[in-house]
Amino acid sequence: MSRRRFRSRRSFWAVLRRPRTLACAAALVVVAGGAGGFVASQHAVPGPQVRLTGGPLPVAIPVAPPAPKALQDELDELVRDYGEEVGVAVTEVSEGWTAGVDAEGFYPQQSVSKLWVAIAVLKAVDEGRLSVDQPVLMTEADRSVFYQPVSYNIRPGGFSTEISGLLRRAIVESDNAANDKLIREAGGPDAVGATLDRLALEGVTVGAYERDLQAQVAGLTWQPHYGVGWNFQAAREQLPAQVREAALKAYLEDPLDGAQPAAITRALARLHKGELLSPASTQRLLDLLQDVRTGPRRLKGGLPPGWTIGHKTGTGQDYRGASVGINDVGLLTAPDGRTYAVAVMMRRTHKPVPQRLALMQAVTRAVAAEWARSRQAEAVEAD
């Protein structure tokens, strides 16, 4: 497996930004307040204390416990047997450990990035800059590419909806036009990126409007008429093979919408713990993820009885027998309420669909098996 150094790039137009750090770096150091004391996260694992040179206040540096060896070994074996480049991460939400394979690699997200758009929009709602009930008018200029059922409602006078409706369409249905409109309402890709920065969501990007991203991946520059019917696909088919191959190669080497699997799972863990949004916005987004209709046989397909999942899928373009950005990320909750954030990301896969699904389902079953082992260990200790 190749390991790429993470490069910062939030948007299609802004490429000069400060260096990125790992997803949870900002959360690892908890600085004290009050005379002679310190405040530590309720989920922090006690670690070494370091005295500040300017005074007596200590700094707690929580260190997550190591990932369970049995789970790590199983993930290693699953990816090795798959035989292609795959990034996997599993983060236990309460304890904070992360197991994975190429978990710090940089993978194309495709529609997984809609999750970060939703977080940025809901953060704007929490801060009073937007409202979930705010009316929004979609016009012909808001058409996007590929799956965009909301655009079927656009008439000469436009289509009136609300922010809440666009959020549901973008997350539950993975509607590209709804997602692009949400980005506009949030202030554009740069504004979304700035919100992610303020939330210390390192290692995840949005990069561009969906229609611009997909055009770039294909070797095109977006044109308004591409949003109607099959015009985009027709224009793509007219491109010389070398143009498409060069564009795809550039995207895979440096995906504009790239993210690290471990950064995604750590962000999902923070979302679940209510560290990113208000309680109302947190619950709204978690409910939407529970209602997702796409990818029922990806991670969800491996769930044992009694488990639940809230997730977001990503599916990129096909070219010459391979698919790009085949992903699923989500929060898996066991019958006792213990929750695991999981990400499985395929950079470019030539495997048939049943094998892709089998790998994702196997990761889910591996997480469930780890939970069962932990329950058994707790029972033994209780005796």
Side-chain angles (χ1 to χ4, degrees):
M1 300 292 169
S2 67
R3 292 185 178 272
R4 288 171 168 77
R5 177 179 177 274
F6 182 79
R7 286 169 287 181
S8 168
R9 185 156 57 175
R10 284 295 192 201
S11 80
F12 191 50
W13 301 275
V15 296
L16 296 178
R17 283 192 177 270
R18 60 181 177 80
R20 315 296 292 170
T21 55
L22 295 180
C24 61
L28 290 180
V29 178
V30 183
V31 182
F38 67 93
V39 179
S41 164
Q42 68 181 42
H43 300 292
V45 177
Q49 294 183 11
V50 181
R51 287 196 178 277
L52 300 175
T53 57
L57 297 179
V59 177
I61 307 175
V63 179
K69 184 177 184 302
L71 174 62
Q72 182 61 59
D73 289 346
E74 188 167 1
L75 296 180
D76 286 336
E77 182 178 359
L78 287 173
V79 174
R80 182 174 60 250
D81 291 347
Y82 191 74
E84 291 183 341
E85 196 170 4
V86 179
V88 177
V90 177
T91 297
E92 205 282 349
V93 170
S94 60
E95 296 179 6
W97 55 255
T98 297
V101 181
D102 200 22
E104 309 296 341
F106 195 40
Y107 285 79
Q109 292 182 91
Q110 293 293 314
S111 286
V112 168
S113 66
K114 291 181 172 74
L115 175 61
W116 319 122
V117 174
I119 287 174
V121 168
L122 288 170
K123 191 63 177 177
V125 170
D126 291 343
E127 295 171 348
R129 294 181 285 115
L130 292 175
S131 166
V132 291
D133 300 322
Q134 181 174 319
V136 177
L137 182 67
M138 296 195 68
T139 69
E140 292 289 341
D142 293 313
R143 293 185 183 275
S144 187
V145 67
F146 299 141
Y147 192 73
Q148 49 171 335
V150 70
S151 67
Y152 304 154
N153 298 297
I154 297 174
R155 298 292 183 266
F159 171 65
S160 182
T161 183
E162 297 178 344
I163 292 289
S164 59
L166 292 177
L167 282 167
R168 171 160 288 275
R169 288 176 182 273
I171 296 297
V172 175
E173 301 177 19
S174 209
D175 188 307
N176 290 331
N179 188 67
D180 281 358
K181 188 65 172 179
L182 286 172
I183 295 176
R184 291 187 189 89
E185 293 298 311
D190 283 346
V192 172
T195 299
L196 301 183
D197 283 339
R198 287 193 292 110
L199 291 171
L201 289 179
E202 307 290 345
V204 299
T205 60
V206 170
Y209 295 108
E210 190 72 34
R211 64 191 192 184
D212 289 319
L213 173 71
Q214 298 303 335
Q216 184 194 60
V217 172
L220 294 166
T221 299
W222 178 258
Q223 302 293 330
H225 71 278
Y226 289 167
V228 179
W230 287 84
N231 289 344
F232 179 88
Q233 290 87 335
R236 187 177 60 180
E237 291 301 316
Q238 296 301 313
L239 290 173
Q242 61 267 30
V243 172
R244 291 202 63 187
E245 289 166 2
L248 182 58
K249 181 176 183 291
Y251 172 66
L252 292 175
E253 289 179 348
D254 187 15
L256 193 59
D257 61 341
Q260 299 162 310
I264 292 175
T265 58
R266 291 165 186 154
L268 285 169
R270 290 182 61 198
L271 172 66
H272 187 270
K273 291 186 289 186
E275 296 177 359
L276 301 180
L277 302 169
S278 70
S281 290
T282 296
Q283 194 58 55
R284 179 183 292 274
L285 184 50
L286 292 177
D287 287 346
L288 290 175
L289 293 173
Q290 289 273 349
D291 291 343
V292 163
R293 299 174 186 172
T294 59
R297 294 191 295 156
R298 293 188 185 183
L299 290 175
K300 189 174 184 179
L303 282 181
W307 284 68
T308 61
I309 184 174
H311 67 130
K312 184 70 196 79
T313 58
T315 305
Q317 299 180 42
D318 296 336
Y319 185 62
R320 293 196 167 181
S323 299
V324 171
I326 303 300
N327 310 317
D328 200 3
V329 310
L331 290 159
L332 280 60
T333 302
D336 67 349
R338 189 171 304 185
T339 301
Y340 301 83
V342 180
V344 180
M345 309 184 76
M346 301 176 182
R347 189 181 309 282
R348 188 183 189 190
T349 179
H350 293 78
K351 303 286 186 180
V353 171
Q355 287 184 242
R356 307 173 192 179
L357 299 175
L359 174 62
M360 292 187 178
Q361 292 169 16
V363 170
T364 298
R365 287 192 292 270
V367 173
E370 177 54 41
W371 171 78
R373 284 190 294 267
S374 68
R375 291 273 292 179
Q376 185 176 19
E378 290 169 357
V380 169
E381 289 179 4
D383 290 341

